[in-house]
Amino acid sequence: MVKAKLKPLEEIFGMIRSYKKILTLSCGGCVSVCMAGGQREGMELTLELVEFFRQNRLDAEFTHYTMERQCNPEYLFDAEEIVREADCVISTACGAGVQYIAESHPSKPVFPALNTLFIGIDRDVGLYEERCRTCGDCKLGYTGGICPITRCSKSILNGPCGGTHFSDGSCEIDREIPCAWNDIFERLKSQGRLENILTVHPPSIWMDQAQRTMVQYGFEERYRKKE
Amino acid sequence: MKGLKTEEKIKLILQRREAMIKLCLSACVHCSLCAESCFKFHNHSKDPSYMPSYKALHSIGKIFRKKGKLKDEEFEEMKDLIWNKCVLCMRCYCPMGISIPLLIAAARAVCREKGYYRTYDVISKRIEKSKKVLTK
Amino acid sequence: MKAGSNFEKVLAAGHFAVTGELGPPQSNNIEVVKKKAGFLKGNIDAVNITDNQTSIVKMSSIAAAAICIQQGLEPVFQMTCRDRNRIAMQSDIFGASALGCLNMLCLSGDHPNFGNQKTSKKVFDIDSIQLIALAKRLRDERKLLDQEKQFNSELKLFIGGAGNPFSRPFEFRALRLAKKVMAGADFVQTQCVYDMERFRDWMKAVRDLGLHEKCYILAGVAPLRSADMAAYMAANVPGIVIPDGIMKRMNSVPKDKAGEEGIKISIELIEEIRQVEGIKGIHLMAIEWEHRAGEIIERAGLLPRPKVE
């Protein structure tokens, strides 16, 4: 799922300090799972902002509301009125959610409370690891299920580069980061699939050069562009 | 919604969804088509409590009939039904045109107002304080 | 002949080749390049011009390479995958070739995290092996990547890659070199060699794959300047393994004699490297010590450099 983390309070404060009626809009989707922007986090953020405003001798009225999901039209309805009543919205959704709220309320300033970081796995409660960069040309088939785009610091397809530490197989940039290609080699070797990386893999077909819209298989007819 | 008491907010949530809730309560013919399209239902050995219609009727249906005046235990119990047994994926199909996820979302909204929601870990101590500040 | 550069001719004639290294300045100061080139000229067959090494902004490797040509020193311009996408790479190869650069070394490049522009967007559009293949395609087929239309001029290029015998997974390192040869590497320069035992093991694996007959392999040699430098490199630079014996020697001499000891070690290493079957030369990385390079090469018995036609 999408993983995100709260921006520094000062930065959020800087965006909203001139407004008088401020709505914190939480999202019950991915950002609540990674505990960055769910109901509880939204309420805590609101509380901190109330305190921040008080310390700066600014007067504003704060409201908090949680939408089930900020990236889907069906769930917009519940927050329509509360958004309309506010001078500005500080959304604790991911980048997609923030944009969707902004698009749905074009006259309303909508600000992000989070930095959206990556698509990752839940290693533990509050501990997440990036696993996918949505490059659009998945390599996992020949890399033993280890993503070289995401996990290799240089995103190389014919690794490992010369930067793997000899003593512990860590990446040149950080001893804490294991070399993805060292792991790929070990896994493929253990599965008897080393031939997967003995040939030169061609350059990636990058699919993230422009904004993507996807029509799922089976829905082509429904979304066919009118001639 | 600003300045309203919890009960008033719940009333407002129910009012907004009144037509859909009434449709659900009156028009559901237990055809089980919604169950057929629910992956949660299939993945849990067709346990009837995973049927989308069941989930709607036993959450928002119950809240509506009792005008939001449920016991705390009842809200607590409901959490499992509307958060664990439904993920609002929106794939359930109803021939009568009932939007089940919207009803579950309304039930979640009521629960949220009552302070019942998913936190994914231990509830922080600060939450009580923030509730007070926000409902002031 | 792929490019007919002096470097290639020396190797083709069967001489033991010597390449050096020149780090461009962190400014536009041409005098620095000229001065360093002056130290190296006549002592080596070609000089590698580093491409923003350790991600620290320096004068462009192609510009510095062109200056070296003006000074009568043949360059091997290095190109990393860190800062250019495939458009810029192909464009820069055209540009370098037009300026008379005949030798090119393809590298992944150090991660931006090391340098003085840590928050930059890293590129890594293609990797070093794909860059070798791209350069070969430009040279042999006169075609851009993914394009069938040929351009109508000749592009001469002697293409190289890096070899690293001292990184994990050790077992894969020779196989990865095979991928570079498969992609089109004409020559290979290795990471600095201190651990001869491991280096011989790696070369055996390389010979078993027959790679020493398909490309020219030059072993990297970098003189240690002090015990501190040795300890730092061993601990922090990936792909550098310094055996205890060498560490002890560096530690056993007083600070002002450490440089001399480092040079002695380098000369001994060069002697040993020359005995390894399949090694066609050395790549001397006298980093910020260009003025001592001539002395090291001379004491190693590698002067004068051969003149080939």
Side-chain angles (χ1 to χ4, degrees):
Chain A
M1 268 181 164
V2 174
K3 302 298 173 197
K5 198 170 184 178
L6 189 68
K7 278 180 178 289
L9 271 182
E10 292 76 8
E11 188 185 341
I12 300 173
F13 177 68
M15 293 186 276
I16 60 171
R17 60 179 301 160
S18 61
Y19 295 93
K20 295 290 168 225
K21 286 162 79 181
I22 299 162
L23 167 67
T24 321
L25 197 57
S26 289
C27 178
C30 314
V31 292
S32 75
V33 177
C34 66
M35 301 187 297
Q39 179 161 0
R40 181 190 67 192
E41 294 78 29
M43 288 169 88
E44 285 183 356
L45 170 65
T46 314
L47 179 68
E48 303 213 46
L49 289 172
V50 167
E51 185 61 23
F52 224 97
F53 270 65
R54 199 184 58 77
Q55 280 172 12
N56 285 276
R57 298 175 195 286
L58 287 167
D59 197 32
E61 192 184 307
F62 282 88
T63 321
H64 172 260
Y65 189 75
T66 308
M67 280 172 69
E68 289 308 327
R69 217 171 283 167
Q70 293 188 18
C71 58
N72 186 303
E74 294 293 321
Y75 301 116
L76 277 182
F77 175 81
D78 291 319
E80 284 287 312
E81 192 186 323
I82 202 161
V83 171
R84 266 203 306 275
E85 284 170 1
D87 288 345
C88 80
V89 178
I90 175 100
S91 162
T92 69
C94 68
V98 174
Q99 291 188 55
Y100 194 48
I101 297 298
E103 176 191 321
S104 313
H105 299 272
S107 64
K108 196 72 63 186
V110 179
F111 302 107
L114 308 182
N115 288 322
T116 307
L117 295 176
F118 51 78
I119 296 180
I121 57 160
D122 308 351
R123 181 59 77 197
D124 204 334
V125 179
L127 181 63
Y128 312 103
E129 286 173 13
E130 183 175 15
R131 281 296 182 276
C132 178
R133 294 238 171 114
T134 68
C135 74
D137 184 18
C138 192
K139 330 280 182 202
L140 292 170
Y142 69 80
T143 58
I146 294 168
C147 176
I149 303 292
T150 310
R151 284 205 36 211
C152 168
S153 304
K154 298 175 186 172
S155 298
I156 63 177
L157 302 186
N158 295 285
C161 75
T164 323
H165 280 286
F166 185 74
S167 56
D168 54 7
S170 62
C171 172
E172 68 177 28
I173 73 162
D174 192 334
R175 292 279 184 171
E176 295 295 313
I177 300 173
C179 166
W181 276 97
N182 189 48
D183 289 356
I184 290 169
F185 170 82
E186 294 295 346
R187 186 169 299 166
L188 289 174
K189 192 182 158 201
S190 73
Q191 295 180 358
R193 296 204 289 146
L194 262 192
E195 73 277 4
N196 280 229
I197 51 169
L198 294 183
T199 51
V200 178
H201 286 281
S204 193
I205 301 163
W206 298 105
M207 300 293 280
D208 54 357
Q209 297 159 321
Q211 185 197 6
R212 290 166 284 184
T213 299
M214 180 202 51
V215 177
Q216 196 52 272
Y217 292 121
F219 289 82
E220 293 90 346
E221 201 54 43
R222 187 194 288 200
Y223 300 111
R224 190 186 298 278
K225 288 223 171 66
K226 301 252 170 11
E227 294 296 327
Chain B
M1 282 177 85
K2 181 74 188 172
L4 295 180
K5 288 196 186 107
T6 307
E7 275 63 37
E8 292 168 330
K9 284 184 187 170
I10 292 172
K11 205 173 153 189
L12 204 65
I13 292 166
L14 294 175
Q15 268 172 13
R16 277 200 206 123
R17 292 285 181 220
E18 193 169 348
M20 188 60 87
I21 298 168
K22 281 184 171 163
L23 176 70
C24 175
L25 291 173
S26 63
C28 177
V29 293
H30 303 280
C31 70
S32 82
L33 271 175
C34 59
E36 286 306 309
S37 54
C38 178
F39 78 94
K40 279 272 194 183
F41 175 71
H42 286 284
N43 285 351
H44 287 86
S45 323
K46 307 202 174 183
D47 173 349
S49 71
Y50 280 91
M51 282 172 65
S53 57
Y54 178 96
K55 289 182 263 191
L57 292 168
H58 287 79
S59 57
I60 196 70
K62 194 171 174 181
I63 294 169
F64 186 75
R65 280 197 305 271
K66 295 193 174 182
K67 297 191 171 58
K69 294 187 177 60
L70 274 69
K71 292 192 196 104
D72 287 349
E73 309 90 81
E74 290 177 294
F75 279 119
E76 190 61 47
E77 270 174 38
M78 197 177 287
K79 273 173 72 179
D80 182 50
L81 192 66
I82 58 180
W83 267 287
N84 295 346
K85 294 189 174 179
C86 173
V87 297
L88 300 186
C89 74
M90 314 197 58
R91 275 180 281 177
C92 47
Y93 168 72
C94 171
M96 309 304 286
I98 301 165
S99 174
I100 296 164
L102 289 198
L103 294 173
I104 306 279
R108 285 191 183 185
V110 172
C111 286
R112 286 183 192 283
E113 292 303 339
K114 291 294 284 185
Y116 295 97
Y117 51 87
R118 224 181 188 181
T119 52
Y120 302 95
D121 70 341
V122 197
I123 294 177
S124 109
K125 282 172 195 161
R126 307 186 53 202
I127 203 76
E128 288 308 315
K129 196 182 167 197
S130 46
K131 260 195 226 167
K132 269 181 210 151
V133 171
L134 290 167
T135 51
K136 204 163 53 188
Chain C
M1 281 286 152
K2 307 282 186 184
S5 64
N6 178 59
F7 178 34
E8 185 184 6
K9 284 187 210 158
V10 166
L11 287 165
H15 297 291
F16 193 78
V18 179
T19 51
E21 194 149 300
L22 188 156
Q26 295 183 43
S27 72
N28 60 347
N29 191 344
I30 188 170
E31 296 309 323
V32 176
V33 183
K34 284 183 178 171
K35 196 173 163 194
K36 287 184 174 180
F39 290 133
L40 295 165
K41 191 179 169 184
N43 293 325
I44 53 176
D45 303 315
V47 63
N48 283 38
I49 313 294
T50 53
D51 178 11
N52 297 298
Q53 203 173 19
T54 61
S55 303
I56 289 169
V57 178
K58 306 218 172 95
M59 182 191 291
S60 139
S61 67
I62 294 169
I67 297 165
C68 285
I69 294 172
Q70 289 166 8
Q71 300 302 303
L73 179 62
E74 183 174 286
V76 177
F77 78 97
Q78 300 192 353
M79 184 181 279
T80 70
C81 302
R82 177 191 59 227
D83 311 319
R84 298 169 180 83
N85 66 7
R86 53 191 95 174
I87 300 172
M89 282 175 162
Q90 295 177 96
S91 162
D92 278 353
I93 292 171
F94 282 156
S97 177
L99 289 167
C101 300
L102 294 169
N103 312 302
M104 173 188 182
L105 185 73
C106 305
L107 301 166
S108 301
D110 295 314
H111 194 276
N113 246 25
F114 289 102
N116 53 9
Q117 306 291 318
K118 292 189 199 322
T119 53
S120 70
K121 184 165 169 54
K122 63 190 173 68
V123 181
F124 297 112
D125 177 13
I126 66 176
D127 63 34
S128 60
I129 295 182
Q130 292 161 350
L131 176 56
I132 291 171
L134 177 150
K136 182 181 159 66
R137 184 179 163 93
L138 288 177
R139 181 190 68 197
D140 295 350
E141 301 178 46
R142 297 186 194 179
K143 284 176 188 169
L144 294 170
L145 200 63
D146 297 329
Q147 296 294 309
E148 282 311 310
K149 190 168 171 282
Q150 284 188 310
F151 52 86
N152 57 11
S153 57
E154 196 180 14
L155 193 141
K156 290 182 178 174
L157 213 50
F158 192 45
I159 305 164
N164 198 332
F166 310 108
S167 282
R168 281 203 190 182
F170 186 59
E171 205 186 321
F172 191 64
R173 290 294 163 178
L175 291 168
R176 185 159 187 262
L177 188 71
K179 288 179 76 167
K180 293 197 175 184
V181 171
M182 215 184 291
D186 304 311
F187 71 93
V188 166
Q189 292 168 320
T190 77
Q191 181 59 283
C192 319
V193 178
Y194 298 101
D195 184 342
M196 280 307 297
E197 199 183 324
R198 204 169 283 286
F199 183 66
R200 285 193 197 96
D201 287 348
W202 178 75
M203 272 308 291
K204 171 152 194 334
V206 167
R207 285 195 305 271
D208 288 347
L209 292 166
L211 302 176
H212 64 306
E213 282 159 357
K214 291 177 184 154
C215 73
Y216 301 105
I217 301 170
L218 285 77
V221 175
L224 296 166
R225 279 180 288 166
S226 67
D228 288 349
M229 174 194 175
Y232 177 83
M233 282 173 69
N236 299 304
V237 183
I240 302 268
V241 178
I242 304 182
D244 291 344
I246 290 180
M247 290 298 264
K248 272 191 196 133
R249 281 179 67 180
M250 290 306 291
N251 279 313
S252 67
V253 291
K255 275 206 164 134
D256 58 322
K257 298 274 192 321
E260 175 55 27
E261 189 64 20
I263 289 176
K264 270 191 203 156
I265 292 169
S266 294
I267 292 163
E268 290 167 29
L269 283 168
I270 293 171
E271 262 322 298
E272 287 194 67
I273 287 165
R274 291 183 77 169
Q275 310 303 318
V276 178
E277 189 192 341
I279 292 294
K280 302 287 163 50
I282 56 151
H283 175 55
L284 183 70
M285 290 168 267
I287 307 148
E288 294 306 316
W289 230 20
E290 286 86 352
H291 60 287
R292 304 287 301 265
E295 178 195 339
I296 298 167
I297 295 160
E298 182 170 28
R299 286 170 62 184
L302 293 166
L303 281 183
R305 298 309 307 148
K307 298 251 181 295
V308 284
E309 273 320 307

